[in-house]
Amino acid sequence: ERLREVSEGSHKVVPQPAAGFGLRHITGKMSRNFTGNWKITSSENFEELLKQLDVGLVLRKIAIVAASNPSVEIKQDGESFYIRTATTARTTEIRFRVGEEFEEQTVDGRPCKSLVRWTGENKMECQQQLLKGDGPKTSWSRELTGDNQLILTMTADNVVCTRLYTRS
């Protein structure tokens, strides 16, 4: 069964889609809940990402050790998010609403303007734009792949870092 539009006066009524393709996929507003404390289970290309961001050797080694066991807390209230990531080197906190610009820092600490959008039922993507200066194009995404699995992908130009988490 396909989506059909039915005219009713000057309004259009869109009936519920067929099973397996819920409205949450279309609107993103009924996505899964990202709320929880997350424990890292694997990380690929983190050092390569830092190299692409021109992070020096000493700071890169400190960041790699510190980021090997981050404490990640996510709170979601509808389209509003709070994400706190704590390591032995630094703690970052961001608050944002999907579809609204906000300011944060790139993974290497440069101030940027960010915009998060739903790109799937369980996936959000964030494009970042530096507030000052030049540098690699950066972005991140977070995707739930199951009730207790989260994929964080961070990108700097063509370098992609993937970090997997489980809900604790």
Side-chain angles (χ1 to χ4, degrees):
E1 196 174 70
R2 297 180 314 205
L3 280 176
R4 295 176 292 130
E5 289 187 354
V6 180
S7 291
E8 228 176 61
S10 62
H11 302 288
K12 289 185 178 178
V13 176
V14 180
Q16 276 284 30
F21 192 75
L23 282 178
R24 75 177 95 187
H25 179 75
I26 297 168
T27 65
K29 292 182 180 174
M30 294 170 58
S31 65
R32 288 196 187 171
N33 193 346
F34 284 72
T35 296
N37 292 307
W38 297 89
K39 179 178 173 60
I40 194 163
T41 58
S42 70
S43 179
E44 293 179 9
N45 289 338
F46 187 61
E47 184 169 12
E48 290 78 5
L49 181 83
L50 296 176
K51 284 180 187 176
Q52 183 68 24
L53 294 168
D54 205 24
V55 174
L57 178 63
V58 173
L59 287 178
R60 198 167 61 235
K61 294 303 179 187
I62 292 169
I64 290 166
V65 170
S68 65
N69 192 23
S71 167
V72 178
E73 175 189 12
I74 300 177
K75 293 180 182 176
Q76 178 184 0
D77 182 10
E79 299 288 289
S80 297
F81 284 82
Y82 165 81
I83 302 174
R84 180 181 186 272
T85 304
T87 69
T88 55
R90 77 175 192 172
T91 297
T92 60
E93 294 181 337
I94 59 172
R95 288 178 170 79
F96 63 90
R97 186 165 175 78
V98 176
E100 295 179 10
E101 280 191 338
F102 66 101
E103 290 186 11
E104 64 169 330
Q105 293 182 347
T106 60
V107 70
D108 61 327
R110 294 171 297 145
C112 65
K113 191 175 285 191
S114 297
L115 179 63
V116 176
R117 297 193 186 277
W118 292 113
T119 58
E121 179 179 349
N122 303 311
K123 185 176 183 178
M124 64 176 78
E125 291 186 4
C126 179
Q127 297 299 316
Q128 298 175 315
Q129 182 177 5
L130 292 177
L131 294 177
K132 295 180 188 172
D134 294 325
K137 181 180 177 187
T138 57
S139 63
W140 57 259
S141 70
R142 284 180 170 82
E143 179 178 14
L144 290 173
T145 59
D147 287 341
N148 295 311
Q149 296 180 338
L150 174 70
I151 301 171
L152 169 62
T153 304
M154 297 179 284
T155 305
D157 286 338
N158 62 344
V159 177
V160 178
C161 167
T162 304
R163 296 168 69 88
L164 303 177
Y165 295 83
T166 56
R167 199 181 318 249
S168 53

